[in-house]
Amino acid sequence: MASSTHTADAIVIGGGLHGCAAALYLARSGLRSIIVEKDHVGRHASGVNAGGVRRLGRALPELPLADAALAQWRNIRDLVDDDCGFASPGQVKVAETEAELQALKARRETLLAHGFGHEEIIDAKQLRELVPALAPHCVGAMRVRGDGHADPFSTMQAFKRKALSLGVRIFERAPVETLQKRGGTWRVTSARGGLEAPVIVNCAGAWGGRIAGMLGDYAPVEVQALMLMITERLKPFVKPVIGAQGRSLSFKQFGNGTVLIGGGYRGRAEPERNLTHLDFGGLAANAAAAAALFPAMRGARILRCWAGIEGHMPDGIPVIGAGMEEGVFHAFGFSAHGFALSPIVGKIIADLVATGAADLPIGAFSIGRFSRPAA
Amino acid sequence: MKSRYDIAIVGAGPAGMAAAAAAAGHGASVLLLDEQSEAGGQIYRAVSRQNFKDRNILGSDYYEGLDLVSELASSGAEHVTGATVWQVSPEREIGVSKDGTARMVTAGQVILATGAQERPFPVPGWTLPGVMTAGGAQSVLKSSALAAPDAVFAGSGPLLYLVAYQYMKAGIPVRAILDTTPRANALRALPHLPAALRSIGALMKGRRWIASLRAAGIPFIKHIEDLKLTGTDCVTGVEYRRGKRWRKIDAAQVFLHQGVVPDVNLAMAAGCAHRWSAAQLCWHAETDAWGETDIPGIAIAGDGAAIGGALAAEYLGRIAAHGALHRCGCLGRAERDSLAAPFRRALAGEMRLRPFLDALFRPPRRLRIPQGDATIVCRCEEVPAALIRESVALGCLGPNQLKSFSRCGMGPCQGRFCGLTVSEMIAEARGVGVAEVGALRLRPPVKPLMLEELAALAVEPVSMPGKR
Ligand SMILES: Cc1cc2nc3c(=O)[nH]c(=O)nc-3n(C[C@H](O)[C@H](O)[C@H](O)COP(=O)(O)OP(=O)(O)OC[C@H]3O[C@@H](n4cnc5c(N)ncnc54)[C@H](O)[C@@H]3O)c2cc1C
Ligand SMILES: Cc1cc2nc3c(=O)[nH]c(=O)nc-3n(C[C@H](O)[C@H](O)[C@H](O)COP(=O)(O)OP(=O)(O)OC[C@H]3O[C@@H](n4cnc5c(N)ncnc54)[C@H](O)[C@@H]3O)c2cc1C
């Protein structure tokens, strides 16, 4: 096995959601690809995330992508033959003080000025009707209808299955070891032998900066271990996904009754060993935020806490686009909100590979925005 | 409870009690945590407040625990009861809840003495109301003198016979004992018999229990090859097969048991290395001569590391205590070695019987790995065997990956009860060894924790989320 060479039109490095989405769309454009994954598909961020699909609060450059992605999520079955557990009960960002509400209103004005009207402001009474379980001190909120969440596990499996059914080959437990260009061909060595293709797609998530470096590009990825916790099954009591303007919190109840609580608190990552370590101080602060907004949750039992390894960019938006060398494309560093974008980024990458252009603005995500620090 | 101790021990069974008693009195501060309301662990559960007046019911081995309990009480170790440990980090921070308050205690040395749990028994109907484990039945008997009459005991191993014997002594009618020990095991155990004969006393104990049960007229049916529990809302009967023939007995209460395995949950969540034991068909922690794991400062003693029984657990607890005392600077090397020497000798004697018992009571594959498709494997999420086999067919390589194919192991118990079954099933379906498949990794909290308890934890976050 190790001595054989596999050839394809493109080699996708990383079997997360972005790697699978890119390979899937490449296949739809008639391009054969191989995914090389150092562990197994969905082992990292894509398999352990919170499944949030939101436009609320996104950075401006991401909004056209998030809009397009939402349209795909609504019809996700057409793409991957599975509903991925997608539901769209909306997302809500709660204000607990007048000042926080003013900040939300200001944000709404900014978006309106750029032509985005999806962020609405609701008052205390509307908020109470929408989320009766919320603590009574909340004064209002920002609401985005149509936002929601999907089930990360079934999403990951569905993308993988669909990619396979379109002829994508997936090599698991195959870390990419070296990358070399000879003539117009990239040659990759991995534990599963050699691979050759004219195109490399870097979907290596938190490891994307390392792969970019091997391809002659530079991107300062900060590796983070984002933490989440989940409760036992509770009676349904909240429909929309809840965030807060003044606290780090992301809170949602899934259809099976379990409540997922996150908020960007970080543990410690050891990406070389695939390990994460929890910080119970951070989890405690996260739990306190949840308990403050949902007093009825205080007695709920937390069953599991975990952390996933994610790549963060200094400006909080991903790297998407062509690399410096011919035949190199990047999609990594999704900075804790790449789940929602995966279907559209897969399409963008396939378009770039197939036609050299994307039909959405991606200039802000160029890898060229980072400059190598002086040695 | 203080916020820091030189030595902290989790579990107040024979291993933990002995470790705490041995560690105290050498200048080290010693904390012993256990979720039970008194010291004793499994074997000596509730020994210091036993309700039964007649000592013959639970037997003399049980009351031996009183010596350890009083040794602990006078040792100077701080024993906190009702204290549930929900995490131990590699940095030896111990997350513990008591009376609805969670706190973090750090220790220079940690000894995990969390003991054993019963091996899963995933036969059709094992999750029906009215079915419980023999160990569970014994816990209730010891702690509240309650018992269910006319139960069928099914399975194999010393604890099964002991609990039936204790029931009989307590005057509670036992309907039948269905013994699933495979006929062929006796032959496989034979080579280990000469060594075992040197512990003839222990060996005869089991025979005496069985003889007394038979003499009392309780049906004792041997060489049962297959079991099914029947009933719709609750168990109403047991079907069993010997050779080709199925028979049935009515039962409103069934106690299952096929041996015990180390409770590795805290150690695995901490990240301690484990290996698959082909002899005991379970995970064993990798430990050195002092019980220390590959994570410096975390040791494991007693049945939590490998099954050796109560006396071995006690000796291992004392040995681990001396190792920990040395590592925290309270004992010199020579002193450590000489203080531990008698326990090492006693331990060697105690372990002579083990290979024989392991071989004799090795549960058969068909009772460890569900044969039918409908048999439930993960009871929290009601995942049937078929779904696990399908997941393997779809490319699932191990129990942790299984979470993305099914919800197996994602319920309240996090796979504490189905983990072994799942690893063995995946290994069988893939045609590889269990070691290659690996173990289901538990995430902290290893025991459920209330949101408000976590919220009130007085620990500062290492970093605060950046605004996004
Ligand atoms: C706890 C948590 C919660 C989150 N919640 C949300 C949310 O609610 N909504 C949202 O939109 N986003 C969320 N995210 C972010 C989202 O999960 C990620 O942005 C997204 O999954 C990234 O996908 P990916 O495919 O780029 O990365 P990954 O899933 O990390 O995949 C990259 C893959 O590349 C592989 N790889 C790396 N190096 C090599 C190599 N040398 N050779 C071969 N393979 C290699 C890795 O093994 C990995 O499997 C969350 C993330 C985390 C961690
Ligand atoms: C149900 C059961 C009944 C048994 N009965 C007998 C018997 O009657 N006779 C016999 O010879 N052998 C019996 N055994 C076998 C038993 O394993 C050994 O005899 C002996 O008890 C092992 O001693 P130990 O100190 O290693 O662990 P144990 O005696 O099991 O003690 C472990 C202690 O750790 C505590 N603990 C575990 N996890 C946590 C946590 N996260 N937080 C706080 N506390 C924790 C438990 O409450 C327990 O008290 C039984 C085993 C089981 C599983």
Side-chain angles (χ1 to χ4, degrees), chain B residues 10-17 33-36 38-45 58 61-62 82-87 95-96 113-118 133-139 142 159 162-163 166 209 257 259-261 263 266 301-311 313-314 446-447:
Chain B
V10 184
M17 289 193 286
L33 298 167
D34 196 299
E35 61 190 340
Q36 291 194 46
E38 58 273 308
Q42 294 296 0
I43 175 166
Y44 309 131
R45 181 181 290 272
L58 295 173
D61 285 354
Y62 175 71
T84 300
V85 174
W86 41 265
Q87 89 131 8
V96 55
T114 51
Q117 60 181 55
E118 290 173 275
T133 66
Q138 189 204 39
S139 297
K142 285 176 180 170
L159 188 58
L162 170 62
V163 182
Q166 290 171 331
W209 297 332
H257 177 84
V260 298
V261 296
D263 173 346
L266 269 178
D303 274 3
I307 301 302
L311 289 175
E314 183 180 332
V446 165
K447 306 249 170 154

Side-chain angles (χ1 to χ4, degrees), chain A residues 40 153 157 233 245 248 256 263-266 268 279-281 284 288 297-305, chain B residues 86-87 91 104 381 401 404-405 407 410 412 414 443-444 448-452 454 459 461-462 464-465 467:
Chain A
H40 60 255
F153 289 128
Q157 288 305 316
R233 293 172 192 235
Q245 172 68 10
S248 285
N256 67 9
Y265 285 90
R266 277 160 294 176
R268 188 162 57 80
D279 168 34
F280 269 90
M297 281 280 297
R298 286 166 195 256
R301 296 188 308 159
I302 309 283
L303 299 188
R304 257 174 308 132
C305 305
Chain B
W86 41 265
Q87 89 131 8
E91 292 75 31
M104 208 61 98
E381 298 290 327
Q401 230 185 316
S404 49
F405 291 87
R407 288 191 47 85
M410 294 176 74
Q414 278 206 63
R443 314 277 196 171
L449 182 64
M450 265 190 310
L451 184 77
E452 65 181 345
L454 178 56
V459 178
V462 173
M464 288 301 281
K467 274 271 168 222

Side-chain angles (χ1 to χ4, degrees), chain B residues 159-452:
Chain B
L159 188 58
L160 182 79
Y161 316 131
L162 170 62
V163 182
Y165 179 77
Q166 290 171 331
Y167 258 59
M168 184 194 74
K169 283 282 178 188
I172 302 148
V174 171
R175 171 142 226 148
I177 295 156
L178 305 180
D179 192 325
T180 58
T181 310
R183 197 189 288 270
N185 280 9
L187 207 61
R188 298 213 180 93
L190 207 56
H192 304 293
L193 186 59
L197 282 175
R198 295 167 67 189
S199 309
I200 184 93
L203 210 53
M204 292 316 289
K205 240 184 260 168
R207 301 203 74 100
R208 193 164 43 92
W209 297 332
I210 295 175
S212 313
L213 288 164
R214 284 197 152 130
I218 298 169
F220 191 104
I221 306 165
K222 285 173 60 158
H223 306 313
I224 286 172
E225 290 163 68
D226 217 343
L227 272 184
K228 268 186 218 162
L229 310 181
T230 55
T232 38
D233 301 327
C234 60
V235 70
T236 53
V238 188
E239 291 178 16
Y240 60 93
R241 183 174 61 77
R242 295 178 75 196
K244 290 208 171 67
R245 231 181 126 137
W246 282 94
R247 289 174 203 267
K248 182 173 178 184
I249 38 177
D250 295 337
Q253 192 77 50
V254 179
F255 299 148
L256 295 175
H257 177 84
Q258 53 178 350
V260 298
V261 296
D263 173 346
V264 292
N265 301 313
L266 269 178
M268 278 204 179
C272 302
H274 286 72
R275 63 171 186 281
W276 179 254
S277 162
Q280 293 196 337
L281 296 167
C282 58
W283 300 103
H284 283 176
E286 304 265 16
T287 53
D288 69 7
W290 302 96
E292 196 179 18
T293 66
D294 62 326
I295 300 182
I298 299 185
I300 310 184
D303 274 3
I307 301 302
L311 289 175
E314 183 180 332
Y315 305 139
L316 285 160
R318 294 187 200 276
I319 292 168
H322 289 108
L325 284 167
H326 172 66
R327 289 193 299 273
C328 65
C330 293
L331 265 190
R333 182 179 293 268
E335 208 181 349
R336 172 196 69 177
D337 293 353
S338 69
L339 283 173
F343 305 118
R344 284 200 193 285
R345 278 193 296 277
L347 177 66
E350 190 56 28
M351 294 310 281
R352 280 197 299 260
L353 190 56
R354 239 344 99 176
F356 178 76
L357 293 179
D358 290 343
L360 186 62
F361 297 116
R362 184 183 177 89
R365 176 168 280 266
R366 61 180 308 116
L367 297 181
R368 303 194 317 268
I369 300 179
Q371 303 294 303
D373 281 345
T375 306
I376 298 290
V377 174
C378 162
R379 86 184 292 163
C380 300
E381 298 290 327
E382 299 195 353
V383 178
L387 189 52
I388 294 175
R389 297 201 178 96
E390 278 164 28
S391 303
V392 174
L394 286 171
C396 174
L397 299 174
N400 297 304
Q401 230 185 316
L402 188 60
K403 292 182 186 172
S404 49
F405 291 87
S406 75
R407 288 191 47 85
C408 190
M410 294 176 74
C413 96
Q414 278 206 63
R416 279 192 292 274
F417 301 117
C418 64
L420 268 186
T421 312
V422 169
S423 289
E424 284 209 86
M425 277 189 79
I426 297 179
E428 185 186 70
R430 285 183 55 200
V432 299
V434 184
E436 183 172 339
V437 161
L440 195 70
R441 196 174 44 240
L442 255 78
R443 314 277 196 171
V446 165
K447 306 249 170 154
L449 182 64
M450 265 190 310
L451 184 77
E452 65 181 345

Side-chain angles (χ1 to χ4, degrees), chain A residues 50 54 56-60 62 91 93 107 224 226-228 243-245 247-250 262-266 286 310-317 334-338, chain B residues 464-468:
Chain A
R54 69 175 164 86
L56 194 159
R58 282 212 182 247
L60 276 168
E62 284 187 353
Q91 294 226 4
K93 190 176 220 175
R107 155 86 184 178
Q224 295 189 350
L226 289 174
M227 302 190 291
L228 288 174
Q245 172 68 10
R247 306 175 189 267
S248 285
L249 180 69
S250 158
Y265 285 90
R266 277 160 294 176
N286 201 172
E310 170 74 330
H312 277 252
M313 305 315 298
D315 50 7
I317 58 173
F334 283 88
S335 310
H337 44 268
Chain B
M464 288 301 281
K467 274 271 168 222
R468 269 170 285 137

